[in-house]
Amino acid sequence: MRMKRMAAVAAAAGLAVTMAACGGDSDEGGSSTGATGIVGKAESQKKLVIGVKADQPGLGLQTGSQYEGFDIEIGKIIAKGLGVDAGNIEWKTTVSANREPFIEQGTVDLVVATYTINDERKQKINFAGPYYIAGQDLLVKSDSTLTGPDQLAGKTVCSVSGSTPAKRIQENYPDARLQQFDSYSKCLPLLDGGQVDAVTTDDIILAGYAAQDQYAGKFKVVGSTFSDEPYGIGLKKDDTTGCEKINEILKAAAADGSYKAAWDTTLGKSGTPAPELDTTKLTHCGA
Amino acid sequence: MHVFTDPKNFDAYVSGFLWILKLTGASAATALVLGVLLAAMRVSPVPVLRGFGAAWVNIFRNTPLTLVVFFCYFGLFVTLGLSLSQDLDLNVFWLGVIGLSTYTSAFVCEAVRSGINTVPTGQAEAARAIGLTFGQTLRIVVLPQAARSVIAPFGSILIALCKNATIVGTIGLMESSNVMKDLINFNGDAVIQIFLVFAGTFAALLIPTGYFFGWLANKLAVKR
């Protein structure tokens, strides 16, 4: 076993950082009316890509290749108002942290994904809506004595990194121990097993989870909201026309009952009556 | 670079990479010990030990690390109640170390075993001839020579381990990749800068590491 002397050849590999351009149709407009943005795309291509959540029962839940939930229904209403059939909508799973990048890069045309309207986000994108006003709350075990966020000191709370609820806990309740994951689905087994004392996000999302079969009767939503979370529809910052159009569609949906129908077939199943869509609160589309 | 001039963001960036370094250090040490033990098992004359070593390597070398780490958290901790620290972050950290070192030890074992194969059979035969036991042969004669030929593969394993440490982010540790996601989420206008800073930091840590191991391997190589 004579080993030959090996000359070590150090190959210095240059670090090639390839920034993959994310997919998405860049060819906007080209429509007969010369409209750009989503209105133009809907007119010219008759299809839309809508970013939604995939792991939030009642709001946006993916089962197989199907998506279902209140956000999905809202997406369908908007698409219909823009003249796009439900069959021509491409749903794209968009986790919280991806929402602005996906809009900015054109990966999706719209985001309807429990998307809280706030000033920070308004600097990057445009919001239509709100189509629902939620509030941050706590989900606890049914026998828990927690009644609100003020008792969280020393308790362990689970939320999603990069989300508004997680940030609010960090800033307003620094004594709470925050466990962060990339989706709420990972929080529930921990609440069930007692490793965390509460899961926090918007009440409507929590209610959707609590209503799932495997957790039936195990959890309860505390019911003392400590924030206002107006859910908006995100789109490109410069697409004022599209934003105004969506607000018109929402107004019409509130008037003709399709908004209520969207609620009744999804979140309404949990027994919560449909909210009134307050059209006076609709955004001014960055104008 | 406005993102990193904000002290809060800069602190998050530093603590993210500190977690990575701690994960790498703790896992490397554990994986080294485990890996050498496994290699000893795999070349031992005892069939049961050989089988155990082979099974370990085949299982962990062929399971995606994401699954291993995921199991450490949701299997060991959530289901079986193995809590390693009262502190949330430290608990996740140690569970991550278990996952990383288990996985990496399989690679270390194979590197050591290939190193053992570079030692001429005559060496082990001579050691046995003067009456050394299996343990002594391995410890005094074979492993010291084998170690010198596996420096370079160890370097590769260490570099892979350091990058793999980001996977512990999936079980909720705020390590660099999670910090990066957070920063990107709240600074959508600086995605590329943030990405380049994080990728660049990894490169700055690992490229010298690679050169160092190359130099060391050359220096210590057994000239035959």
Side-chain angles (χ1 to χ4, degrees):
Chain A
M1 249 182 76
R2 294 270 315 266
M3 291 286 290
K4 286 209 181 106
R5 184 183 293 199
M6 305 271 282
V9 179
L15 182 79
V17 181
T18 44
M19 299 295 289
C22 295
D25 296 317
S26 53
D27 56 318
E28 290 172 22
S31 70
S32 50
T33 55
T36 55
I38 54 160
V39 178
K41 183 174 172 179
E43 269 180 24
S44 61
Q45 301 187 16
K46 291 287 175 220
K47 61 179 190 204
L48 283 173
V49 184
I50 304 186
V52 290
K53 286 281 174 77
D55 62 346
Q56 294 187 344
L59 284 147
L61 183 69
Q62 187 179 13
T63 42
S65 62
Q66 293 291 308
Y67 288 84
E68 55 189 31
F70 184 56
D71 282 349
I72 312 293
E73 295 305 316
I74 294 289
K76 285 179 187 164
I77 290 174
I78 292 164
K80 193 175 162 196
L82 291 166
V84 175
D85 295 337
N88 290 336
I89 304 173
E90 186 191 332
W91 304 103
K92 201 166 193 77
T93 301
T94 307
V95 297
S96 292
N98 275 345
R99 291 178 299 203
E100 289 102 276
F102 273 17
I103 294 170
E104 290 176 313
Q105 294 155 5
T107 311
V108 297
D109 300 315
L110 301 172
V111 166
V112 194
T114 62
Y115 204 3
T116 302
I117 300 176
N118 69 25
D119 291 340
E120 268 177 332
R121 289 171 178 163
K122 270 187 195 167
Q123 290 174 7
K124 295 173 217 162
I125 60 149
N126 212 329
F127 277 110
Y131 59 95
Y132 181 79
I133 312 269
Q136 187 170 351
D137 208 329
L138 300 170
L139 184 74
V140 292
K141 279 194 152 165
S142 335
D143 57 358
S144 166
T145 52
L146 268 177
T147 55
D150 299 334
Q151 307 169 328
L152 284 178
K155 294 273 195 296
T156 312
V157 190
C158 193
S159 194
V160 163
S161 52
S163 68
T164 315
K167 208 173 179 187
R168 185 169 291 114
I169 293 285
Q170 278 170 324
E171 282 169 2
N172 301 353
Y173 305 97
D175 295 341
R177 301 160 60 190
L178 184 64
Q179 170 73 57
Q180 301 184 70
F181 286 118
D182 50 359
S183 82
Y184 292 109
S185 336
K186 285 184 183 170
C187 285
L188 295 201
L190 270 73
L191 183 61
D192 198 16
Q195 285 89 2
V196 302
D197 301 299
V199 180
T200 185
T201 178
D202 306 347
D203 51 359
I204 183 176
I205 299 174
L206 295 172
Y209 279 121
Q212 280 181 292
D213 293 346
Q214 71 266 40
Y215 297 121
K218 284 189 177 176
F219 306 142
K220 64 177 183 198
V221 180
V222 168
S224 62
T225 54
F226 47 102
S227 74
D228 250 359
E229 308 281 352
Y231 282 180
I233 290 143
L235 63 167
K236 269 208 166 61
K237 182 145 178 57
D238 56 5
D239 194 0
T240 316
T241 332
C243 174
E244 282 162 355
K245 177 79 181 156
I246 292 176
N247 281 346
E248 281 168 34
I249 295 168
L250 286 175
K251 270 185 200 164
D256 70 11
S258 54
Y259 176 83
K260 186 175 180 302
W263 177 276
D264 289 344
T265 53
T266 54
L267 288 165
K269 288 179 182 167
S270 63
T272 323
E276 282 298 316
L277 177 60
D278 188 350
T279 51
T280 58
K281 285 208 172 83
L282 291 175
T283 56
H284 301 297
C285 291
Chain B
M1 279 304 154
H2 68 93
V3 176
F4 293 95
T5 48
D6 179 342
K8 217 172 64 180
N9 291 351
F10 186 75
D11 286 351
Y13 158 81
V14 171
S15 79
F17 272 100
L18 277 179
W19 277 124
I20 292 286
L21 293 176
K22 287 176 194 163
L23 282 167
T24 309
S27 307
T30 321
L32 182 64
V33 174
L34 262 177
V36 173
L37 271 177
L38 286 166
M41 284 181 186
R42 291 204 69 177
V43 297
S44 76
V46 186
V48 175
L49 290 183
R50 280 210 304 273
F52 177 83
W56 180 289
V57 167
N58 284 325
I59 290 170
F60 291 112
R61 204 167 51 154
N62 299 307
T63 310
L65 178 58
T66 323
L67 296 187
V68 176
V69 169
F70 203 79
F71 172 81
C72 285
Y73 192 87
F74 286 92
L76 296 180
F77 171 58
V78 177
T79 312
L80 302 174
L82 172 79
S83 182
L84 298 165
S85 164
Q86 282 308 299
D87 182 274
L88 271 187
D89 283 345
L90 276 179
N91 183 41
V92 175
F93 168 80
W94 286 116
L95 289 162
V97 168
I98 291 178
L100 283 172
S101 46
T102 308
Y103 176 86
T104 311
S105 67
F107 290 88
V108 172
C109 165
E110 290 308 276
V112 172
R113 220 161 55 96
S114 71
I116 289 173
N117 289 337
T118 65
V119 180
T121 358
Q123 294 279 326
E125 285 167 353
R128 268 206 298 281
I130 59 170
L132 299 183
T133 62
F134 171 77
Q136 287 172 316
T137 305
L138 209 57
R139 207 177 62 238
I140 303 166
V141 178
V142 178
L143 279 183
Q145 295 185 66
R148 296 165 62 151
S149 65
V150 295
I151 305 281
F154 273 6
S156 303
I157 292 172
L158 184 68
I159 287 171
L161 171 64
C162 180
K163 293 181 297 178
N164 287 344
T166 54
I167 288 183
V168 180
T170 57
I171 56 173
L173 188 69
M174 284 308 281
E175 47 59 67
S176 62
S177 74
N178 268 355
V179 172
M180 182 177 96
K181 273 187 235 166
D182 247 27
L183 289 181
I184 284 177
N185 192 33
F186 292 114
N187 305 281
D189 53 341
V191 174
I192 293 178
Q193 290 98 307
I194 295 170
F195 171 81
L196 286 176
V197 166
F198 277 83
T201 308
F202 270 109
L205 286 171
L206 295 176
I207 291 174
T209 309
Y211 278 118
F212 170 74
F213 273 90
W215 169 81
L216 196 66
N218 254 338
K219 194 168 158 11
L220 296 181
V222 183
K223 311 287 190 216
R224 290 199 174 99

